[in-house]
Amino acid sequence: MTVTSTTSLGRATHLSCRECGTTVELGPYYACLECFGPLEVAYDFGTITRERIESGPRSIWRYRDLLPVPENVADIPNTDPGFTPLVRANNLARELGIKDLWIKNDAANPTHSFKDRVVAVALAAARELGFTVLACPSTGNLANAVAAAAARAGITSYVFIPSNLELPKIVTSAVYGTTLVAVEGNYDDVNRLASELAGEHDDWAFVNVNVRPYYAEGSKTLGYETTEQLGWRLPKQVVIPVASGSQLTKVDKAFRELVQLGLVEGDAPAIFGAQATGCSPVSTAFKEGHDVVRPVRPDTIAKSLAIGNPADGPYVLDVARRTGGAVDDVSDDEVVEGIRLLARTEGIFAETAGGVTVAVLAKLLRDGKLDPDAETVIFNTGDGLKTLDAVSSVVGPAGTIAPTTEAFHSLVNGG
């Protein structure tokens, strides 16, 4: 698979090594042959205006000029993710003692997580590169997104998941007709298997392996959208959950691109990362002042963040330190409380990753690491219906009563 004279990846020009700067032609490459560092997409953007963006569809494709996709991408069958709500969270803000808080609610995407964004971009690039099968290793949300996107595109898909994944995520992947393979072990074991299979099947696009540079660019749209929805204004602080770390680093890239292109004014925000204590290798490295992220064996209810050896971990450290942010972690009990707090105050039911983000937000405020007077955006990346087990033991009916008004009044009045 490689670029031909008919291949169109928009304004993308080449791939560049994030470590040594070596350039590589556009193609299904993800590791530098010189130093084995990760590759990312480079562009010649030219002139891009707010007016051109605003005239586009209400999906991530309004930012097509900033992505490695063909000009006509919106006309090709896909799930059309993006342009999810940016919710002013006044109730949660009062509860936590922060002045100006927003929630970017990506649970509103087609398969109810931000993964629809990255998969849509990966699929568009994979088609241009000649791949015929879509595949992925996944902790759940990516499995949903790949299965749905492949069904919409009319192509075959293979999805690999840890065998202990939450049942709702298994069902909501299998329903799309994908070949769903449960693998004994954790996500890192699944990822190793996927990498081996990618080497065996030249026509399989493993979205987060051999087309990872294109896939990762999809997360930039979270940064673009947030800024546009704020009236082309950069927030002062953002809090983002960290699994592989790619989302956080690409949101940072999006903010910097908007500044460089003259689409916004001011400095890029301080960026904070959120992890669960049971899988917190990046948070641990940040607190200890290390540049290297040591792998861990995940043990947390936040399975969508349970990546013990995060590929972008070192780059998350770089972003947090460069922007004046931080990376922190919270216990599983705090994750559950974060889920309940967001649901109770804002009517948004988040999956465990969202609970991590809310709980870390609260912790950062308590510890004085986050400015309570600065405009802040937090990212909810998935729907709570995917992780019901996390809260099913702590919420439920207030009681069971006879069908009489007397029984109701007795219940609510404590009689």
Side-chain angles (χ1 to χ4, degrees):
M1 306 297 162
T2 190
V3 171
T4 69
S5 59
T6 60
T7 299
S8 172
L9 291 173
R11 303 190 188 193
T13 55
H14 61 277
L15 301 175
S16 177
C17 177
R18 295 167 75 176
E19 289 294 320
C20 72
T22 295
T23 60
V24 181
E25 66 177 350
L26 294 170
Y29 315 120
Y30 58 97
C32 175
L33 294 179
E34 298 295 325
C35 72
F36 303 107
L39 300 175
E40 70 174 350
V41 181
Y43 304 84
D44 180 4
F45 287 128
T47 300
I48 296 175
T49 65
R50 292 182 184 179
E51 291 74 21
R52 177 169 168 81
I53 291 172
E54 292 168 348
S55 68
R58 291 181 64 82
S59 71
I60 64 171
W61 306 133
R62 69 199 285 116
Y63 309 108
R64 62 192 178 279
D65 292 337
L66 298 161
L67 299 169
V69 297
E71 172 67 25
N72 67 337
V73 64
D75 300 327
I76 304 169
N78 67 85
T79 57
D80 293 315
F83 227 75
T84 54
L86 182 68
V87 180
R88 184 180 284 279
N90 290 335
N91 297 331
L92 180 59
R94 281 193 297 270
E95 186 95 6
L96 296 179
I98 186 171
K99 183 178 179 181
D100 200 358
L101 181 64
W102 300 83
I103 301 167
K104 181 61 172 165
N105 187 18
D106 246 29
N109 272 313
T111 68
H112 309 288
S113 89
F114 89 97
K115 291 294 187 180
D116 289 313
R117 298 173 180 272
V118 290
V119 169
V121 175
L123 173 59
R127 281 167 159 161
E128 290 296 308
L129 294 172
F131 288 101
T132 59
V133 173
L134 207 62
C136 73
S138 174
T139 57
N141 286 327
L142 182 58
N144 294 173
V146 164
R152 175 73 178 124
I155 63 175
T156 300
S157 66
Y158 291 84
V159 170
F160 301 84
I161 58 171
S163 58
N164 68 344
L165 194 64
E166 300 101 332
L167 180 60
K169 290 181 180 177
I170 294 174
V171 173
T172 51
S173 297
V175 71
Y176 294 109
T178 186
T179 298
L180 183 66
V181 181
V183 179
E184 296 174 356
N186 59 31
Y187 173 79
D188 297 300
D189 299 314
V190 178
N191 192 46
R192 280 192 291 272
L193 172 61
S195 297
E196 293 173 11
L197 290 171
E200 292 181 3
H201 299 277
D202 290 342
D203 59 340
W204 288 23
F206 278 86
V207 296
N208 50 346
V209 182
N210 54 353
V211 290
R212 185 178 180 84
Y214 310 97
Y215 159 92
E217 293 290 286
S219 286
K220 296 194 305 182
T221 60
L222 277 163
Y224 301 148
E225 277 180 28
T226 297
T227 304
E228 183 181 353
Q229 290 171 319
L230 285 173
W232 293 105
R233 184 180 71 251
L234 291 170
K236 296 299 183 183
Q237 307 171 136
V238 297
V239 184
I240 304 173
V242 174
S244 73
S246 177
Q247 181 187 62
L248 184 148
T249 63
K250 293 304 181 182
V251 169
D252 170 67
K253 184 180 181 183
F255 290 143
R256 288 185 287 114
E257 286 176 346
L258 292 175
V259 172
Q260 291 163 4
L261 289 166
L263 292 168
V264 295
E265 297 179 349
D267 297 325
I271 296 184
F272 296 82
Q275 293 201 294
T277 302
C279 186
S280 55
V282 186
S283 175
T284 299
F286 182 87
K287 293 174 182 177
E288 295 178 352
H290 296 160
D291 295 326
V292 175
V293 176
R294 295 178 181 175
V296 300
R297 183 166 290 276
D299 182 16
T300 173
I301 61 171
K303 292 180 180 177
S304 61
L305 302 183
I307 297 179
N309 188 16
D312 280 56
Y315 303 107
V316 171
L317 297 174
D318 292 343
V319 169
R321 289 166 178 157
R322 171 172 48 78
T323 64
V327 187
D328 216 326
D329 59 272
V330 288
S331 69
D332 282 357
D333 286 344
E334 290 173 294
V335 173
V336 172
E337 180 52 36
I339 294 171
R340 298 180 69 186
L341 177 62
L342 180 59
R344 175 171 58 82
T345 57
E346 298 298 341
I348 296 174
F349 183 21
E351 69 156 14
T352 47
V356 169
T357 305
V358 172
V360 166
L361 169 68
K363 183 178 182 180
L364 291 168
L365 287 165
R366 288 195 306 269
D367 293 347
K369 297 177 182 177
L370 207 68
D371 183 354
D373 294 323
E375 185 172 51
T376 303
V377 176
I378 65 172
F379 288 51
N380 176 43
T381 53
D383 196 311
L385 293 175
K386 297 187 177 200
T387 57
L388 292 173
D389 287 351
V391 294
S392 60
S393 65
V394 294
V395 298
T400 301
I401 64 171
T404 66
T405 57
E406 291 83 358
F408 168 72
H409 291 305
S410 176
L411 174 69
V412 297
N413 294 325

